[in-house]
Amino acid sequence: MELAEFLVKLAYYFPYYVALVLVPMVVRSVLERCIGVRPEYFERMWHVSYEQAFQSFVLTALYFPLFEELVFRAIPLYLFGFPGLVIGSAVWVLMHPAWQLQYISELPLSRKILFTLTTSANYTANAIFYGIIWLNGDGLVAIVYHMLHNTWIYFVVLAREIELPQIPIPRRNKYRYVKPIATEVPRPQPIEREEELPQLTFVVRKTKRSLEEELEEPVETLTFVKRKIKS
């Protein structure tokens, strides 16, 4: 298959990709939000090294699409024909809610059942898309579409979960710089405090003369009367 022919086939199946992959994915997201299942349940913290991020990309965008298309569609179709393709695709559909349910284990049973139904319906439409391509004999196109689909989803999730450092953007100064005018700042005046004078205590001493005058004052005398006591 030449490159030009391959690109033409990619463009030919693109409307099918929109109708059977993108539209069901949007409908599924809306329905899951209505039942209380939000994308935050499936988010992971990307505190990983470059080696781990590269490994995750290779597994998600390259290995899994190739493995799934060969195991669940190519081999069953080659061995058993159309029934094999249906059975393999059905197993592929159920594999997705089987591992995704672990992220919403804390939700009630009713929401888990609704999530299983919405997820299965979404991947059933995806399986029909890839099955049509395989039935038309364009298995390589199906593999490439699966890889491209996982690739852009991987980078969207990665961009949402990784916080990039903010780059400061220089702003142009629209206003003309005005040099400030130097003004004299008044010096603070010293605060005058009133000094408190020490209190003086005057003691008046009595002279010798004043003492003699006090002694010359009449002194009352006590008269004792003796009584005889009869025996």
Side-chain angles (χ1 to χ4, degrees):
M1 183 185 299
E2 296 181 358
L3 179 60
E5 183 182 358
F6 179 76
L7 295 177
V8 169
K9 289 187 176 182
L10 284 178
Y12 172 78
Y13 289 111
F14 184 75
Y16 295 90
Y17 174 76
V18 174
L20 296 174
V21 178
L22 296 183
V23 173
M25 184 172 60
V26 174
V27 174
R28 173 199 173 187
S29 300
V30 174
L31 293 177
E32 289 180 355
R33 284 184 176 272
C34 293
I35 65 177
V37 179
R38 300 187 177 276
E40 290 78 9
Y41 288 104
F42 306 96
E43 290 182 354
R44 297 175 296 173
M45 298 303 294
W46 288 80
H47 298 293
V48 295
S49 62
Y50 168 78
E51 294 80 4
Q52 293 173 328
F54 183 76
Q55 179 186 13
S56 178
F57 167 75
V58 172
L59 291 176
T60 303
L62 302 178
Y63 174 75
F64 289 154
L66 178 62
F67 177 81
E68 292 173 1
E69 291 298 326
L70 293 178
V71 172
F72 295 103
R73 275 180 274 273
I75 296 177
L77 178 63
Y78 177 78
L79 295 178
F80 308 106
F82 179 75
L85 177 63
V86 173
I87 295 174
S89 297
V91 175
W92 177 80
V93 168
L94 296 177
M95 284 293 295
H96 288 82
W99 68 266
Q100 293 177 4
L101 281 170
Q102 62 181 334
Y103 293 100
I104 59 171
S105 58
E106 59 185 18
L107 295 180
L109 178 60
S110 59
R111 294 187 182 182
K112 295 178 184 178
I113 295 175
L114 292 175
F115 173 79
T116 304
L117 295 176
T118 56
T119 305
S120 300
N122 173 51
Y123 286 104
T124 298
N126 297 171
I128 293 174
F129 168 71
Y130 296 117
I132 291 173
I133 300 177
W134 278 101
L135 290 175
N136 290 337
D138 298 324
L140 181 60
V141 178
I143 294 174
V144 172
Y145 255 111
H146 203 156
M147 289 181 176
L148 294 176
H149 176 75
N150 284 21
T151 298
W152 76 260
I153 288 181
Y154 174 84
F155 282 109
V156 167
V157 175
L158 187 66
R160 286 183 55 188
E161 297 183 358
I162 290 183
E163 296 183 359
L164 299 177
Q166 297 182 357
I167 302 175
I169 301 175
R171 297 181 179 180
R172 294 183 178 180
N173 192 0
K174 298 181 180 180
Y175 302 97
R176 187 178 179 183
Y177 177 74
V178 180
K179 185 177 181 181
I181 301 174
T183 57
E184 294 183 358
V185 180
R187 296 181 179 180
Q189 298 294 333
I191 301 174
E192 296 181 358
R193 296 182 179 179
E194 296 181 358
E195 296 183 358
E196 296 181 358
L197 297 177
Q199 296 181 358
L200 300 178
T201 304
F202 298 92
V203 179
V204 180
R205 294 183 178 180
K206 293 183 179 182
T207 60
K208 184 177 181 181
R209 184 178 178 181
S210 61
L211 291 174
E212 291 177 354
E213 291 177 355
E214 289 181 1
L215 292 176
E216 290 179 357
E217 292 180 358
V219 180
E220 295 181 359
T221 57
L222 298 177
T223 305
F224 297 92
V225 179
K226 293 183 180 181
R227 290 183 180 180
K228 292 182 179 182
I229 301 174
K230 293 181 181 181
S231 56

